[in-house]
Amino acid sequence: MMSNHAARPKVVIIGAGFGGLAAAKTLKRAPVDIEIIDRRNYHLFQPLLYQVATADLSPADIAWPIRGIFSRQQNVSVTLSEVLGVDTAAGQVVSADRVIDYDYLVVATGAHHSYFGHDEWEAHAPGLKRLVDATEIRRRVLMAFERAELADSTEDQARELTFVVVGGGPTGVEMAGAIAELAHFTLARDFRRITSTDARVILIEAGERILAPFPPDLSAKAHTSLEKLGVEIWTGVQVEDITGDGVTSSNGFLPSATVIWGAGVAVRHLDEWLGIETDRSGRVAVAPDLSVPGYDNIFVIGDAAKVVWLDGMDVPGIAPAAKQEGAFVARLIADHVAGRANDSTFKYRHTGNLATIGRHAAVIDFGRIKLSGFIAWWLWGIAHIYFLIGVRQPVIVALSWFWSYLTYSKGARLITEAPKVEKGQAARRSPLK
């Protein structure tokens, strides 16, 4: 396919996450024009969102303007807009502001948190996928201590100082450990009427153990490390309801003013955009070359793609996988444009699973090599700084971490206003409908 609107093939990338950025950067020297569409003007380093949510880092430490990242790559343009649909027959992406022609389309939209049919829980238990989620969770966590300081009854204080994290995956484990550290160390001298160390942090997991993707021995070590931080871990417990008053589970009702969701994710809109069937999470089951079945010029990567890996498992929805997929698709497109035959199959190289548990411990699974404790924590930090290379000077984040480690201080303890929802705003409709 060749667009009638451009002298060179046009590659449109929906989403400026890890996969989208990797695809655009890999096409730097290809004779194509690239347009990145995102409804936000920044690339977000999602693995460190929890550190914004618990005041270790400020939002500016983990988010960078997309235009700034590609300011020197002349074949990239950036469109700040929301995608409303895709016309696969015409080869067009329909955004809220204009219609964009494409010769090749790369869908890298990422995923949103899923409440398994209970969307009403979102108001009481925000997930952690966006920058606004992190700042809202930070506001709720810090405000809980402030309200506890003002509470007149021990019952109200206990409710305010009870923090519930739902989901025992890496996000839930990292959040629970960080909140426990905030209560037991950072805020220990800040209040006069309450003792912040009285805070309860409860991690609820429906499965038999936390960090299920990790080997059982590392999962057990993470369990022990969290308990040393004062985190209560409830495994085999099903959440039945979440309200503004607390959480109802198979263990009964637990009064809590702050609930954080980390139990599931889903992809939105791809079935509508591409007119194809998706799985229960909204992912597209892509072909071995990551193309959408029936379309050799449309690719889906990252969290939005269901990619077969090994032993009946899919490629995990983590940053290294998204970057590998983005680079693979870019090379495939470059070969197509150059007239080179390329029938490659994407082969995922697993670099390991990592999760941190507070400031002194982490667990790392490199396959044959498994690490835990202090050394794993440092390797976890080095791995994340490595991922920052090419986006901004990683030394800035490294210094922030090191200062926080030495002093137990959290310099981003700012309570911001809750987002306001404008009434009477009509949703914009897709020109396709």
Side-chain angles (χ1 to χ4, degrees):
M1 290 182 62
M2 286 291 294
S3 170
N4 295 325
H5 301 277
R8 304 200 305 176
K10 178 71 170 291
V11 180
V12 173
I13 300 174
I14 303 177
F18 289 104
L21 260 61
K25 289 182 176 182
T26 305
L27 287 168
K28 181 177 182 178
R29 292 181 174 82
V32 298
D33 293 317
I34 305 164
E35 184 162 353
I36 299 174
I37 310 172
D38 202 300
R39 59 181 177 178
R40 300 178 185 88
N41 76 327
Y42 56 84
H43 166 70
L44 178 64
F45 194 82
Q46 281 193 351
L48 295 181
L49 264 179
Y50 83 96
Q51 294 210 1
V52 174
T54 53
D56 265 317
L57 297 173
S58 71
D61 288 330
I62 66 165
W64 310 278
I66 303 167
R67 295 185 187 279
I69 294 172
F70 291 102
S71 60
R72 297 186 179 182
Q73 187 170 332
Q74 295 301 312
N75 66 340
V76 172
S77 63
V78 178
T79 295
L80 180 63
S81 189
E82 182 174 2
V83 172
L84 301 178
V86 177
D87 187 337
T88 55
Q92 295 176 328
V93 173
V94 181
S95 78
D97 301 285
R98 65 191 184 95
V99 175
I100 303 163
D101 295 299
Y102 69 82
D103 297 301
Y104 298 93
L105 178 63
V106 180
V107 181
T109 54
H112 194 267
H113 27 264
S114 170
Y115 293 85
F116 307 114
H118 293 278
D119 290 345
E120 69 277 10
W121 293 354
E122 184 171 10
H124 311 295
L128 191 59
K129 281 291 182 181
R130 306 167 299 171
L131 201 57
V132 67
D133 298 328
T135 54
E136 173 61 12
I137 290 172
R138 181 182 68 186
R139 185 190 70 82
R140 293 190 185 200
V141 169
L142 295 177
M143 278 300 300
F145 288 99
E146 298 292 343
R147 287 194 300 264
E149 179 83 347
L150 297 173
D152 293 325
S153 68
T154 55
E155 291 81 5
D156 287 342
Q157 284 185 350
R159 177 178 172 275
E160 296 293 348
L161 293 178
T162 299
F163 301 89
V164 178
V165 181
V166 181
T171 297
V173 166
E174 290 168 348
M175 276 299 307
I179 294 174
E181 282 194 340
L182 181 71
H184 295 157
F185 299 104
T186 307
L187 302 179
R189 299 180 180 179
D190 286 11
F191 295 93
R192 301 297 177 261
R193 299 185 65 218
I194 63 169
T195 303
S196 66
T197 54
D198 289 339
R200 294 180 68 193
V201 182
I202 298 153
L203 179 62
I204 300 178
E205 165 58 37
E208 296 180 356
R209 60 187 177 92
I210 61 173
L211 297 179
F214 287 73
D217 58 334
L218 289 183
S219 175
K221 289 179 180 179
H223 191 119
T224 301
S225 296
L226 282 174
E227 288 185 330
K228 287 181 179 178
L229 283 174
V231 178
E232 301 175 38
I233 302 174
W234 297 359
T235 54
V237 175
Q238 297 281 346
V239 171
E240 299 169 356
D241 194 18
I242 302 174
T243 68
D245 296 320
V247 177
T248 301
S249 71
S250 50
N251 273 5
F253 178 70
L254 176 65
S256 172
T258 307
V259 183
I260 299 165
W261 185 263
V265 296
V267 181
R268 298 176 175 176
H269 307 307
L270 293 192
D271 54 345
E272 302 170 6
W273 291 358
L274 303 178
I276 59 174
E277 186 176 348
T278 58
D279 68 4
R280 290 185 300 175
S281 298
R283 300 178 303 168
V284 174
V286 294
D289 65 353
L290 305 184
S291 65
V292 173
Y295 299 93
D296 61 2
N297 66 326
I298 301 178
F299 304 88
V300 179
I301 62 175
D303 290 342
K306 177 180 171 61
V307 185
V308 177
W309 182 23
L310 50 81
D311 298 330
M313 296 187 297
D314 295 331
V315 172
I318 55 179
K323 292 179 72 172
Q324 290 178 37
E325 291 166 6
F328 172 86
V329 165
R331 290 191 294 268
L332 199 66
I333 291 173
D335 286 343
H336 285 178
V337 171
R340 296 188 294 266
N342 190 330
D343 57 356
S344 299
T345 295
F346 174 71
K347 295 180 176 62
Y348 171 59
R349 300 181 305 279
H350 189 56
T351 54
N353 291 321
L354 303 88
T356 183
I357 310 144
R359 56 189 256 114
H360 289 298
V363 289
I364 297 179
D365 175 21
F366 287 141
R368 294 183 180 180
I369 300 175
K370 300 176 178 61
L371 299 171
S372 62
F374 185 71
I375 294 177
W377 185 83
W378 277 106
L379 286 176
W380 171 90
I382 292 170
H384 282 70
I385 290 172
Y386 170 79
F387 269 99
L388 294 174
I389 295 174
V391 182
R392 70 170 296 179
Q393 292 292 337
V395 68
I396 297 174
V397 176
L399 288 174
S400 296
W401 278 339
F402 187 61
W403 180 253
S404 177
Y405 177 80
L406 290 177
T407 65
Y408 280 99
S409 65
K410 292 178 181 280
R413 298 205 312 267
L414 306 178
I415 298 176
T416 53
E417 294 183 5
K420 295 180 180 179
V421 178
E422 298 292 337
K423 295 182 179 180
Q425 281 190 331
R428 286 188 272 191
R429 303 180 66 86
S430 169
L432 288 176
K433 297 181 180 179

